[in-house]
Amino acid sequence: DAQQQDHKAVLVIHGKGHGSKNGIGVLQQCVRAWLYQAHNVFYFENQHNNSGATLVFLKKNPRST
């Protein structure tokens, strides 16, 4: 939806996963695995030293002029 609305980036808040065995949240791992496969994602990165959010940069909407 964000790409279709010509947004350049979105912030995905997934939490830190404090109760996880290895210290990396389950949702964080799932979000990143999905982002690696997403065709409309240009780049993504952790925000503020693993704050529980990932900043996602989107590819340009091919339908926009």
Side-chain angles (χ1 to χ4, degrees):
D1 289 342
Q3 185 189 37
Q4 290 175 352
Q5 295 175 23
D6 292 325
H7 293 291
K8 294 180 183 354
V10 293
L11 184 64
V12 178
I13 301 171
H14 43 67
K16 292 183 179 184
H18 289 293
S20 298
K21 292 179 185 178
N22 61 0
I24 299 174
V26 174
L27 286 177
Q28 179 179 347
Q29 290 176 340
C30 290
V31 165
R32 289 185 182 163
W34 181 78
L35 290 171
Y36 275 117
Q37 298 176 25
H39 68 279
N40 59 343
V41 172
F42 176 69
Y43 175 77
F44 62 92
E45 63 185 24
N46 263 347
Q47 282 302 104
H48 307 294
N49 199 18
N50 197 20
S51 66
T54 300
L55 183 59
V56 181
F57 296 93
L58 303 170
K59 292 181 181 177
K60 185 176 179 177
N61 184 354
R63 295 183 186 155
S64 67
T65 56

